[in-house]
Amino acid sequence: MESVGAFDSTKLPLHELLREIHGAKIQLPDFQRGWVWDDEHVRSLLASVSLMYPIGAVMLLQTGNPAVRFKPRPVEGVTLTSAPEPAQLILDGQQRLTSLYQALMMNDPVTTRDSRRNEIRRYYYIDLGRALDPTADRDEAIFGVPPDRILRNFRGEVITDLSTPEKECAAEALPVNALLDVNLLLQWQMTYLGSTAAEITERRDRWAQIQEMVVNPFHRYQVPLILLNRATSKDAVCQVFEKVNTGGVSLTVFELLTATYAADEFNLREDWTRWQKRLASYRVLRGVESTDLLQSVALLSTWNRKKQRPEVAVGCKRKDILELDLTEYRAWMGPAVDGYENAARFLFDEHFFDARDVPYRTQLIPLAAILAELGSRSQNYGVMARIRQWLWCGVLGELYGGSIESRFARDLPQVLSWVDGGPEPDTVVEANFRAERVRTLRTRNSAAYKGIHALLLRASPLDFRSGRTIDSQVYFEDGVDIHHVFPQAWLARHPEFAEIGDCIVNKTALSAASNRAIGGRAPSQYLQTIEREAGISPDRMDELLASHLIDPHALRGDEFRTFFTAREQAILDLASIFQ
């Protein structure tokens, strides 16, 4: 990977690597998650080392690059009054190194989890009898005991008592944390050999076997290392971490930036929580994610850099976000949030009332940046008309799915230029809503489906049962949702219409009460029921239907094809808003 820079491959004895961790010369970058390995994984790892089996390479990043600063933290279990600046950070191997460090270097029990994911604490031992038996499974020779070092059965009866060194030696259970501790191992050896000449003679040869087959492998074990040099960029660190992370945990740019800013004692997570509460007061913004906001900040930052230096590229890809220093973040986060709030009000005007109804959460990223940069100018009629056209072109043209950061980067300068009389932006030029597309829009998974739903709401439809205009207040008070005009049960009885009958043409915004009144009956039947129960005259009901762009006569006659053809054309006329 050319962008990563040079790296070295080498090996380091396990005991030296763990000593570097113990002295905090090797630490974790703050974006690494906590240690999560369970008891079975820990025992299996110890067994592999004891047999000199490979456990995989460890990847470290050299520190010292002022452009790649992460707040470090010691490996869990390391206790230092004041941790020094690390020489390397662990990018891959956290689970393995933490497991080995806690089991081999700590005097305290290892905090891990059982098979049911319940937290447990364990001291680990090697059953010497099984470890010296060439036919035995080494995994079965490694076992753990509770903090009191006593194993009990389900009735509470003692099975194994290892609460003193003498009892450990009698059971031939060697504590794993003595393997690399010379003094502790020597004390254990003296206890094991006994105090009389006869005892020493009897056990001397067996201890030689233990030393060679159990102890020495841990001292001889070499861990493969991949060392990324300090020239490695932040973006490369992020990419490398995601590719090598054996836990399958995706590292977001937010987490990486959090670790970067933490080096300057700034808590990005707390700051995001503060902004998120402000955004959440707008229902349409409740789906906005931390990375969305950072992308808007990056757009504003790079755009304003470009004003000073034309050679700067406007962008909001990961590398652009990672290049945001703390000063830039602080300068543009407030304006970006203001932009999102203005976007929320704008979306409400366009009849997008809830986060689930927003066609593209991603389109809010450039929209917020555009509105933030325009400031009060965005309230001008002509400016807002162009922004509205740009929005609807993106929605009905379905241009904001997939990886679209490059489109964001074009949107900001192009829309700003357009409102000042420049050429139409690419999103407007490229938008193409095909007439036949309307028949394939069946669920909220489609941006255009949500868009047409909002266009129908913009026509100020009246609820079938209450007659109330379906505005934002009624939308939430009356539980308005998208429902079939010719019900699904009716369509099931008329299979020739079933396929097209499930598309947006045969759906409209109705209250929960109206939908219950419809049931599964034919329109001719449910209209009479609603008129009778709600006290609505036929003429008034026709007006209610017409407000939904529905032909009343076709509906009263259960003439699906006539209804569908007329409403399809009416919807296509609405969709011409982007042309």
Side-chain angles (χ1 to χ4, degrees):
M1 189 185 303
E2 192 172 334
S3 62
V4 172
F7 65 89
D8 296 315
S9 298
T10 185
K11 290 182 178 180
L12 191 67
L14 174 63
H15 62 89
E16 289 187 24
L17 186 60
L18 296 181
R19 275 202 295 269
E20 296 282 282
I21 290 172
H22 186 70
K25 291 183 179 179
I26 296 176
Q27 297 187 38
L28 293 165
D30 198 50
F31 58 75
Q32 285 269 32
R33 271 73 163 190
W35 182 63
V36 294
W37 264 19
D38 60 26
D39 173 65
E40 183 179 355
H41 277 90
V42 175
R43 289 187 286 106
S44 179
L45 179 66
L46 291 168
S48 294
V49 173
S50 74
L51 291 169
M52 303 288 284
Y53 288 172
I55 61 170
V58 168
M59 183 176 291
L60 304 177
L61 170 69
Q62 288 181 334
T63 60
N65 183 348
V68 185
R69 296 173 61 236
F70 303 115
K71 184 176 183 179
R73 60 179 172 87
V75 166
E76 291 179 49
V78 175
T79 55
L80 294 173
T81 305
S82 178
E85 283 295 315
Q88 289 106 17
L89 297 174
I90 301 169
L91 289 187
D92 186 42
Q94 176 197 9
Q95 307 296 330
R96 287 165 286 156
L97 292 179
T98 305
S99 298
L100 291 171
Y101 176 80
Q102 292 198 3
L104 294 167
M105 302 289 286
M106 285 183 10
N107 292 323
D108 297 324
V110 177
T111 299
T112 180
R113 297 185 183 277
D114 62 19
S115 58
R116 296 181 179 179
R117 306 301 297 164
N118 296 315
E119 185 176 293
I120 57 174
R121 301 175 73 216
R122 289 290 182 266
Y123 283 109
Y124 289 98
Y125 283 86
I126 297 180
D127 182 328
L128 295 177
R130 289 180 175 175
L132 297 178
D133 182 354
T135 65
D137 188 337
R138 183 59 62 90
D139 278 11
E140 295 180 359
I142 310 293
F143 65 98
V145 299
D148 63 1
R149 300 181 190 263
I150 299 175
L151 281 175
R152 297 176 173 84
N153 61 20
F154 68 94
R155 291 187 295 269
E157 299 168 342
V158 175
I159 300 173
T160 305
D161 186 347
L162 304 176
S163 58
T164 67
E166 290 75 18
K167 292 178 178 179
E168 291 173 345
C169 292
E172 291 215 321
L174 176 61
V176 167
N177 66 348
L179 290 167
L180 299 180
D181 187 324
V182 175
N183 293 328
L184 186 58
L185 185 63
L186 181 59
Q187 292 172 16
W188 201 89
Q189 177 189 356
M190 298 301 293
T191 303
Y192 181 78
L193 291 175
S195 56
T196 67
E199 289 175 330
I200 295 173
T201 300
E202 180 184 349
R203 289 202 167 185
R204 185 170 50 201
D205 290 343
R206 187 164 178 81
W207 179 257
Q209 281 186 296
I210 293 170
Q211 186 76 40
E212 180 60 27
M213 297 180 64
V214 178
V215 177
N216 287 349
F218 284 87
H219 287 265
R220 294 173 184 157
Y221 197 89
Q222 301 278 324
V223 179
L225 293 181
I226 299 172
L227 187 62
L228 300 183
N229 71 26
R230 59 178 53 89
T232 307
S233 70
K234 250 187 290 191
D235 186 41
V237 170
C238 188
Q239 291 185 46
V240 168
F241 180 84
E242 290 176 342
K243 291 181 185 299
V244 304
N245 186 267
T246 54
V249 181
S250 178
L251 177 65
T252 69
V253 69
F254 177 80
E255 291 167 317
L256 199 55
L257 208 60
T258 297
T260 300
Y261 291 168
D264 292 318
E265 303 302 321
F266 181 82
N267 192 319
L268 181 60
R269 198 171 300 281
E270 286 184 2
D271 197 55
W272 157 243
T273 300
R274 177 169 64 91
W275 293 117
Q276 186 181 36
K277 287 180 180 178
R278 182 169 151 185
L279 295 178
S281 64
Y282 301 87
R283 297 185 71 112
V284 291
L285 299 182
R286 290 181 183 175
V288 173
E289 298 178 356
S290 57
T291 303
D292 299 337
L293 202 52
L294 288 175
Q295 286 188 290
S296 296
V297 170
L299 284 174
L300 289 169
S301 178
T302 54
W303 170 247
N304 281 277
R305 277 189 229 151
K306 188 175 182 65
K307 291 178 183 178
Q308 305 299 322
R309 292 178 290 147
E311 73 277 8
V312 172
V314 177
C316 61
K317 293 183 179 179
R318 180 165 57 186
K319 67 178 183 61
D320 300 305
I321 297 173
L322 293 175
E323 288 175 0
L324 287 170
D325 61 34
L326 185 54
T327 301
E328 289 176 307
Y329 169 83
R330 283 173 160 157
W332 294 110
M333 179 55 93
V337 172
D338 290 342
Y340 272 94
E341 291 182 322
N342 287 331
R345 289 185 281 268
F346 173 61
L347 290 174
F348 254 69
D349 289 343
E350 298 305 301
H351 289 74
F352 297 105
F353 298 140
D354 196 43
R356 68 173 183 167
D357 295 321
V358 175
Y360 288 117
R361 192 194 80 240
T362 52
Q363 198 175 5
L364 298 183
I365 294 167
L367 175 60
I370 290 165
L371 294 175
E373 190 64 25
L374 286 171
S376 61
R377 288 186 62 205
S378 65
Q379 304 306 312
N380 296 342
Y381 176 84
V383 172
M384 188 55 70
R386 293 201 165 180
I387 294 175
R388 180 176 295 109
Q389 185 176 354
W390 165 82
L391 173 80
W392 283 102
C393 283
V395 171
L396 298 176
E398 299 181 288
L399 297 176
Y400 286 84
S403 180
I404 27 69
E405 287 90 351
S406 296
R407 182 175 293 279
F408 299 164
R410 298 194 303 271
D411 279 333
L412 180 58
Q414 288 180 358
V415 173
L416 292 176
S417 172
W418 189 37
V419 300
D420 286 331
E424 291 182 336
D426 291 349
T427 295
V428 173
V429 173
E430 296 169 6
N432 178 29
F433 184 73
R434 295 172 288 105
E436 61 271 20
R437 175 68 173 128
V438 75
R439 298 193 177 200
T440 64
L441 301 175
R442 297 185 176 89
T443 70
R444 277 190 172 90
N445 292 331
S446 304
Y449 179 97
K450 298 179 184 180
I452 289 175
H453 172 52
L455 287 176
L456 290 169
L457 288 175
R458 287 182 72 202
S460 299
L462 307 171
D463 185 60
F464 284 6
R465 189 176 181 85
S466 69
R468 301 173 74 191
T469 301
I470 302 177
D471 55 17
S472 60
Q473 182 176 343
V474 172
Y475 186 88
F476 294 111
E477 285 182 354
D478 293 359
V480 171
D481 204 345
I482 307 173
H483 296 294
H484 289 76
V485 178
F486 278 78
Q488 289 176 296
W490 186 92
L491 292 170
R493 298 191 295 270
H494 298 80
E496 67 274 22
F497 302 131
E499 184 175 355
I500 62 171
D502 199 38
C503 77
I504 191 67
V505 176
N506 186 37
K507 295 178 183 179
T508 199
L510 293 172
S511 67
S514 292
N515 187 52
R516 286 193 297 270
I518 288 173
R521 295 172 294 171
S524 59
Q525 295 174 326
Y526 73 66
L527 288 175
Q528 290 180 10
T529 300
I530 293 174
E531 288 171 353
R532 182 178 66 253
E533 293 180 352
I536 301 174
S537 69
D539 288 343
R540 179 56 176 163
M541 178 58 76
D542 286 352
E543 292 174 358
L544 302 183
L545 295 173
S547 72
H548 290 260
L549 308 184
I550 293 172
D551 179 348
H553 301 293
L555 201 62
R556 290 185 183 280
D558 297 331
E559 297 173 10
F560 179 85
R561 196 174 299 282
T562 302
F563 150 81
F564 189 93
T565 301
R567 195 162 194 256
E568 180 180 33
Q569 186 56 55
I571 287 174
L572 291 174
D573 291 342
L574 282 181
S576 65
I577 185 174
F578 77 91
Q579 295 176 337

